[in-house]
């Protein structure tokens, strides 16, 4: 015995012919027998089967109970459907074996098995999954619902409507002509996006169905409960065109209004002598009604056809709204209402295959420091600002442009190169944006791609623009950068090297060498700089100038830098054990490493774990790095100094540090860049940048070391200028730890002699 089932609450829009039974009658389940409605549930989730049968268990239409057929995969459903007949409704899960197993199955049902009558209701568990309009259209899918949407009552009404639709289709099966026309009409309708288009499509299709010239109007009745009974015109045809975008009232178009009211009140089609009004049951508080003039009264077949048509269209009207909504969510940015990345890629693809391609340019527009503005002034302010930027991009570049928002603070402009160019776009940021009476000055960085030169898809073009943008950002004050093919090659090469470097690091192909630093007066070693080396398995050395930027770019520098730090510290401890007590170890620190939130912790731990005395460890940071974000740097340096290590500014003289700024930084040493050492012998009077750096160091009380000293004359001039320390091939090349040990015990002493 099946368990007793309590009656369900009657749904609001319940239909007369629904009967709710206390108990499921023990109807013999004879396959193919016509005394049941057969409903097939296809879903890989067993729970869905049981909840569905439970929800529908006591549904009984015209004394015919439901009978369920279960399939738990698309494959199983295919097998069953080959033999099962007379299935009225299929409840079909979209996502099963594959993401679109359900849609494939629909194709199989309609095209291979040629089952045109069965009504199909698609269900999906994923709210983000946008149904393909094409699929719904092409395969005559009755309804589309997310599983969470299908409450017990909704499921009930949905299946009821589908069964009725199936029954009607079966009933008028002999009128194949009409049926085909309906299917065709629904198909045509589904191809139309937007409720407005759909509504006018409905009018066209009705007049086609009836084979008449169309004079008609389709209205929607909003909130029928509050007595206002306004009929908004959604579409018109023929002599009613003048009613477009109006509201019908019972004065001016009384006969139409009255006929429509009657139809809405009775919730059914009304066939008059020279007009018909059709009723489309919409969702909850929205019904649709069409009024058409007819030259002759419709035949009985016409009436039946129209009823089926209306039932189909009602679902369609609701679905179109749903699909339009999902479509918008999938392709448009909700904040700015601009196309999003997905939509932009589509537009790009279209542009690339169209005539505008040759003259078109794509530009990414990245707002500089937007995150800080957002943090400082609040997210709501930030949102308003983004909308303002969107507006300015849209209105002030003029002409036929596509403006999209593809990321938090990244916009994209696509259009003719005469409009989409750095001068025009950057000019838009010359004036501040006024938000809530507050002026905000923004700047932007651009990455551009000329589509005429582009080979590949829209998505590729966007990637190229992104590469150009990164380049523009890495070159300070560049403002913009055009993508060129060589950059693509370069990037691929970089990616290749990135993988190779990661592998090399993992397989211990990297090692540290040490280049001695000496006291120019005594020529005795005072320390060494740790330098990273990469030797590939075929024996080739790759310069750190090439691989360090890649390690930085890929983030590998964090691990790599830590490893160098620990290796150099360990070497320092070993040297001290070997008797070299007053020996300083200089370690290069990259900007990326330095900015990492755990840098300080990493440094402390490296010192602690290796036992390296901090007062003999020096960190080299570059001058360009010292110039960025002064406040952050000052704070960081103060904390680093507390660990006891000292700080040198590498490549000094290549940047533009101001004196006052240098004074605020707690640094210990300036390292004169090799370029100025090389130049020293060439300059007429020895009045050189190197000389100025040496004086600067003296004035600020900082130690100075010259690097890249290659010949004796350079060493002598430097010494004469008052530079106490030096490093270079003249004294020693970078060498392995073992070589350094030997060098310190023998050669250094010889050199000093
Ligand atoms: P840098 O810090 O300016 O290092 C000095 C570079 O000059 C080294 O090149 C060194 O071998 C070279 N050099 C030393 N003396 C002479 C000389 O007399 N003549 C010439 N022509 N060159 C000399 P290297 O080892 O190729 O390193 C290049 C750059 O790579 C370094 O420049 C540094 O910026 C970076 N680097 C190397 N190792 C590391 C590391 O462990 N971490 C980080 N972050 N960067 C590193
Ligand atoms: Ca260095
Ligand atoms: Ca240097």
């Amino acid at each position: 015995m099946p368990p007793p089932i309590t009656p369900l609450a009657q749904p609001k829009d319940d239909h007369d012919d629904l009967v709710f039974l206390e108990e499921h009658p023990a109807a013999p389940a004879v396959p193919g027998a016509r005394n049941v409605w057969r409903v097939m549930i296809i879903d890989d989730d067993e729970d869905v089967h049981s909840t569905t049968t439970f929800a529908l268990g006591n549904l009984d239409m015209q004394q015919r109970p439901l009978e369920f057929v279960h399939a738990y995969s698309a494959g199983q459903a295919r097998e069953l459907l080959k033999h099962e007949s007379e299935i009225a409704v299929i409840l079909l899960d979209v996502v099963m074996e594959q993401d679109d197993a359900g849609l494939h199955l629909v194709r199989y049902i309609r095209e291979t098995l040629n089952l045109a009558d069965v009504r199909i209701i698609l269900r999906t568990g994923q709210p983000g999954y946008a149904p393909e309009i094409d699929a719904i259209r092409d395969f005559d899918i009755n309804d589309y619902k997310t599983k969470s949407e299908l409450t017990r009552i909704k499921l009930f009404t949905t299946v009821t409507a589908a069964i009725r639709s199936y029954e009607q289709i079966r009933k008028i099966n002999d009128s194949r002509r009409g049926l085909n026309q309906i299917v065709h009409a629904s198909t045509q309708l589904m191809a139309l996006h937007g409720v407005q288009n759909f509504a006018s499509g409905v009018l066209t299709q009705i007049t086609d169905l009836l084979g008449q010239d169309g004079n008609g109007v389709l209205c929607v009745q909003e909130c029928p409960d509050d007595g206002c009974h306004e009929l908004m015109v959604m579409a018109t045809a023929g002599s009613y065109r003048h009613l477009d975008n109006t509201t019908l009232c019972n004065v001016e178009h009384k006969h139409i209004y009255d006929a429509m009211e009657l139809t809405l009140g009775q919730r059914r089609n009304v066939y008059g002598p020279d007009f018909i009004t059709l009723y489309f049951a919409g969702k909850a508080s929205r019904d649709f009604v069409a009024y058409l003039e007819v030259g002759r009264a419709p035949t009985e077949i016409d009436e039946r056809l129209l009823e089926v048509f209306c039932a189909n269209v009602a679902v369609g009207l609701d679905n179109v709204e749903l699909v339009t909504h999902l479509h918008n969510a999938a392709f448009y940015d909700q904040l700015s209402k601009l196309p999003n990345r997905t939509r932009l890629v589509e537009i790009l693809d279209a542009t690339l295959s169209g005539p505008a391609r040759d003259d078109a340019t794509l530009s990414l527009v990245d707002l500089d420091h937007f995150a800080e503005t957002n943090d400082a002034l609040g997210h709501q302010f930030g949102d308003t600002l983004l909308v303002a930027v969107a507006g300015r991009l849209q209105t002030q570049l003029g002409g036929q442009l596509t403006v999209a928002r593809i990321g938090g603070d990244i916009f994209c402009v696509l259009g003719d190169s005469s409009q989409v160019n750095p001068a025009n776009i950057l000019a838009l940021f010359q004036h501040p944006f006024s938000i809530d009476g507050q002026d905000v000055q923004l700047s932007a960085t651009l990455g551009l791609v000329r589509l005429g030169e582009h080979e590949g898809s829209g998505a590729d073009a966007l990637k190229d623009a992104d590469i150009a943008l990164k380049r523009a950002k890495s070159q300070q004050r560049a403002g913009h950068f055009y993508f060129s093919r060589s950059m693509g090659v370069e990037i691929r090469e970089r990616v290749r090297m990135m993988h190779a470097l990661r592998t090399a690091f993992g397989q211990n192909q990297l090692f540290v060498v040490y280049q001695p630093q000496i006291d120019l007066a005594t020529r005795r070693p005072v320390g060494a700089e740790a330098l990273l080396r990469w030797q590939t398995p075929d024996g080739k050395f790759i310069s750190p100038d090439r691989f360090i930027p890649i390690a930085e770019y890929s983030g590998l520098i964090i691990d790599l830098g830590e490893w160098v730090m620990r290796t150099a510290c360990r070497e320092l401890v070993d040297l001290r054990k070997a008797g070299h007590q007053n020996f300083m170890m200089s370690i290069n620190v990259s900007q990326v490493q330095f900015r990492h939130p755990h840098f300080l912790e990493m440094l402390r731990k490296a010192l602690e774990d290796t036992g390296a005395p901090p007062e003999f460890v020096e960190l080299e940071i570059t001058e360009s790095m010292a110039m960025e974000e002064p406040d952050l740097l000052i704070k960081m340096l103060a904390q680093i100094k507390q660990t006891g290590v000292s700080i040198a500014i590498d490549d000094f003289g290549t940047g533009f540090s101001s004196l006052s700024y240098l004074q605020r930084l707690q640094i210990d040493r300036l390292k004169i860049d090799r370029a100025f050492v090389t130049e020293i012998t060439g300059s007429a009077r020895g009045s050189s940048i190197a000389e100025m750096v040496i004086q600067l160091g003296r004035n600020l009380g900082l130690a100075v070391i010259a690097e890249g000293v290659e010949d004796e004359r350079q060493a002598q001039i430097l010494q004469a200028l008052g530079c106490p320390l030096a490093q270079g091939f003249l004294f020693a090349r970078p060498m392995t730890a073992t070589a350094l040990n030997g060098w310190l015990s023998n050669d250094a002493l010889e050199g000093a002699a």
Side-chain angles (χ1 to χ4, degrees):
M1 270 298 278
I5 294 166
T6 35
L8 287 172
Q10 297 245 137
K12 236 192 349 192
D13 53 340
D14 117 61
H15 304 282
D16 308 340
D17 49 357
L18 276 185
V19 180
F20 296 84
L21 295 184
E22 285 281 340
E23 253 188 21
H24 202 294
V30 184
R34 304 223 55 170
N35 58 346
V36 292
W37 298 113
R38 310 196 71 219
V39 174
M40 185 168 191
I41 303 169
I42 308 174
D43 202 305
D44 56 359
D45 183 352
E46 296 215 12
D47 283 352
V48 173
H49 286 262
S50 50
T51 51
T52 307
T53 46
F54 179 63
L56 299 174
N58 55 350
L59 176 72
D60 183 308
M61 280 176 76
Q62 294 143 355
Q63 276 82 55
R64 284 171 69 179
L66 301 193
E67 180 188 287
F68 296 101
V69 181
H70 298 275
Y72 296 90
S73 68
Q76 192 190 0
R78 277 171 194 246
E79 283 314 303
L80 280 173
L81 282 164
K82 275 186 203 157
H83 313 292
E84 292 285 352
S85 58
E86 307 279 41
I87 304 257
V89 178
I90 294 178
L91 285 159
L92 174 55
D93 190 12
V94 178
V95 182
M96 287 179 292
E97 294 99 316
Q98 297 91 29
D99 274 1
D100 53 2
L103 291 176
H104 284 299
L105 184 59
V106 173
R107 179 187 287 274
Y108 178 77
I109 293 168
R110 295 288 190 226
E111 289 184 354
T112 311
L113 298 179
N114 260 323
L115 299 175
D117 299 345
V118 60
R119 301 294 82 207
I120 299 177
I121 297 166
L122 278 183
R123 300 199 280 188
T124 176
Q126 292 165 298
Y129 175 89
E132 288 172 78
I133 293 177
D134 289 353
I136 291 185
R137 182 184 67 206
D138 294 347
F139 298 119
D140 184 26
I141 288 167
N142 251 58
D143 219 338
Y144 177 92
K145 290 278 191 301
T146 61
K147 282 181 186 166
S148 57
E149 242 183 318
L150 273 185
T151 57
R152 203 171 162 195
I153 290 185
K154 282 231 187 80
L155 184 64
F156 203 98
T157 49
T158 303
V159 171
T160 308
I163 291 178
R164 170 168 311 112
S165 178
Y166 170 77
E167 182 192 24
Q168 283 168 324
I169 286 173
R170 295 302 298 242
K171 262 191 194 162
I172 54 169
N173 217 359
D174 23 55
S175 175
R176 269 286 159 202
R177 176 198 64 83
L179 199 64
N180 283 338
Q181 227 173 325
I182 288 173
V183 172
H184 179 73
S186 314
T187 302
Q188 299 278 303
L189 284 173
M190 278 304 189
L192 302 171
H193 290 224
V195 177
Q196 224 75 33
N197 287 340
F198 190 88
S200 38
V202 169
L203 283 183
T204 318
Q205 296 299 341
I206 299 171
T207 48
D208 273 9
L209 276 178
L210 298 175
Q212 308 219 357
D213 293 340
N215 295 320
V217 49
L218 191 144
C219 293
V220 60
Q221 183 190 45
E222 304 261 14
C223 50
D225 308 324
D226 71 354
C228 69
H229 284 216
E230 280 212 324
L231 294 172
M232 268 170 42
V233 176
M234 294 182 70
T236 58
S239 59
Y240 293 101
R241 287 252 187 261
H242 64 285
L243 293 178
D244 262 338
N245 302 316
T246 60
T247 307
L248 290 189
C249 65
N250 61 356
V251 186
E252 239 182 300
H253 299 281
K254 190 165 165 40
H255 64 291
I256 303 179
Y257 184 88
D258 288 348
M260 284 185 163
E261 280 293 292
L262 180 71
T263 300
L264 287 166
Q266 298 190 350
R267 304 169 71 85
R268 62 175 188 85
N269 297 350
V270 174
Y271 305 97
D274 53 359
F275 73 90
I276 55 173
T277 48
L278 303 178
Y279 173 71
F280 308 95
K283 277 218 178 90
S285 58
R286 251 165 97 84
D287 285 341
F288 303 88
V289 57
Y291 174 97
L292 287 117
E293 286 179 3
V294 289
R296 55 167 177 84
T299 64
E300 211 192 309
I301 283 280
D302 286 337
E303 287 184 15
R304 282 185 185 176
L305 282 173
L306 284 171
E307 253 138 50
V308 177
F309 179 73
C310 289
N312 265 332
V313 163
V315 171
L317 273 166
D318 280 344
N319 268 352
V320 161
E321 285 196 308
L322 172 77
V323 170
T324 307
H325 180 75
L326 289 172
H327 185 266
N328 281 340
F331 293 103
Y332 291 88
D333 164 44
Q334 297 305 296
L335 176 68
S336 66
K337 308 287 178 240
L338 295 175
N340 63 12
R341 179 186 288 269
T342 313
R343 178 74 190 119
L344 177 69
V345 168
E346 283 186 355
I347 299 172
L348 271 171
D349 282 333
T351 312
L352 282 167
S353 57
R357 172 200 180 112
D358 285 347
D359 300 316
T361 294
L362 168 73
S363 177
L364 287 186
V365 181
D366 184 3
L367 305 180
D368 301 331
H369 308 295
F370 183 78
E372 283 111 90
T373 310
N374 214 20
D375 287 346
L377 300 171
H379 287 254
Q380 208 161 350
F381 189 92
D383 282 355
T384 318
L385 192 53
L386 288 171
V387 172
V389 172
R392 204 177 271 189
L393 286 171
Q394 266 182 312
T395 55
Q396 299 196 8
L397 285 174
Q400 297 264 306
L401 288 180
T402 298
V403 179
R405 178 168 173 237
I406 63 167
D409 53 358
I410 304 184
F411 292 89
C412 203
V413 190
L414 168 68
D416 193 90
S417 308
S418 62
Q419 289 157 16
V420 181
N421 56 54
N424 281 359
I425 300 174
L426 293 176
L428 298 183
F429 292 91
Q430 273 168 8
H431 305 291
F433 291 83
S434 185
I435 309 291
D436 301 338
Q438 194 170 337
D439 277 356
V440 187
Q441 184 64 57
L442 283 182
S443 64
T445 307
L446 314 181
L448 303 105
V449 178
R450 294 187 182 91
L451 294 192
E453 296 168 9
H454 177 74
E455 281 168 20
S457 68
D460 293 335
L462 208 52
K463 271 188 213 144
D464 289 354
D466 201 44
I467 290 168
L469 177 65
K470 288 224 171 71
R471 177 65 66 89
K473 283 207 246 179
S474 71
Q475 298 186 345
Q476 283 183 1
R477 290 180 286 262
H480 75 272
F481 212 94
Y482 274 95
F483 180 83
S484 66
R485 197 154 323 143
S486 62
M487 284 169 73
V489 175
E490 203 179 297
I491 294 290
R492 273 191 289 283
E493 170 65 18
R494 280 234 296 237
V495 170
R496 204 190 51 74
M497 198 184 261
M498 201 160 93
H499 290 302
L501 179 60
R502 219 173 264 281
T503 312
F505 183 44
Q507 297 179 348
N508 300 321
Q509 288 170 25
L510 299 181
F511 58 100
V512 180
V513 293
Y514 303 88
Q515 184 176 33
Q517 301 174 331
I518 58 105
D519 180 325
L520 271 175
T522 63
R523 300 282 166 115
R524 301 203 46 131
V526 293
E529 177 179 6
L531 293 161
L532 192 54
R533 289 292 174 265
W534 175 13
Q535 188 172 23
T536 57
D538 59 6
K540 265 201 333 226
F541 278 98
I542 298 174
S543 161
D545 285 326
R546 279 184 72 202
F547 73 78
I548 293 286
I550 287 167
E552 288 175 337
Y553 186 80
S554 64
L556 185 63
I557 193 73
I558 303 298
D559 291 342
L560 207 51
E562 176 171 1
W563 178 76
V564 172
M565 178 86 69
R566 288 173 165 268
T567 308
C569 283
R570 236 177 278 121
E571 174 61 10
L572 176 68
V573 172
D574 285 354
L575 287 171
R576 291 173 67 81
K577 280 190 195 139
H580 308 288
Q581 296 290 332
N582 280 323
F583 196 86
M584 196 80 180
M585 183 61 77
S586 296
I587 302 164
N588 292 287
V589 174
S590 112
Q591 170 146 346
V592 181
Q593 242 181 309
F594 198 75
R595 284 194 182 180
H596 194 267
H598 296 151
F599 177 74
L600 211 65
E601 201 183 307
M602 183 280 283
L603 173 66
R604 283 205 195 99
K605 248 182 99 40
L607 293 169
E608 201 182 292
D609 292 353
T610 59
E615 60 275 24
F616 288 101
V617 173
E618 179 182 69
L619 305 185
E620 293 191 8
I621 64 172
T622 60
E623 189 183 7
S624 59
M625 178 168 151
M627 290 187 325
E628 265 187 38
E629 299 177 77
D631 295 331
L632 178 87
L633 185 71
I634 289 166
K635 224 173 84 194
M636 268 298 283
L637 288 185
Q639 288 175 315
I640 289 174
K641 290 295 302 239
Q642 277 178 4
T643 65
V645 305
S646 49
I647 314 258
I649 301 244
D650 205 353
D651 305 339
F652 192 77
T654 54
F656 306 90
S657 323
S658 76
L659 267 182
S660 62
Y661 176 45
L662 268 182
Q663 270 171 318
R664 289 171 62 207
L665 295 176
Q666 297 193 37
I667 51 174
D668 304 274
R669 183 138 93 155
L670 299 180
K671 212 166 173 188
I672 307 173
D673 191 66
R674 180 155 62 87
F676 306 121
V677 172
T678 311
E679 156 191 287
I680 215 171
T681 41
S683 75
R685 271 194 323 109
S687 142
S688 57
I689 293 182
E691 186 177 356
M692 282 168 15
V693 175
I694 294 163
Q695 279 170 13
L696 185 66
R698 201 180 291 138
N699 291 341
L700 294 175
L702 301 174
V704 175
I705 180 167
E707 73 178 331
V709 180
E710 291 184 347
D711 61 47
E712 191 53 43
R713 252 191 88 210
Q714 290 168 343
Q716 278 171 12
I717 297 175
L718 284 165
Q719 196 187 354
L721 290 173
C723 176
L725 305 171
Q727 172 183 348
F729 292 171
L730 171 66
F731 314 106
R733 292 199 171 236
M735 56 188 95
T736 61
T738 325
L740 178 67
N741 261 302
W743 185 85
L744 284 176
S745 332
N746 311 312
D747 307 51
L749 301 177
E750 277 168 33

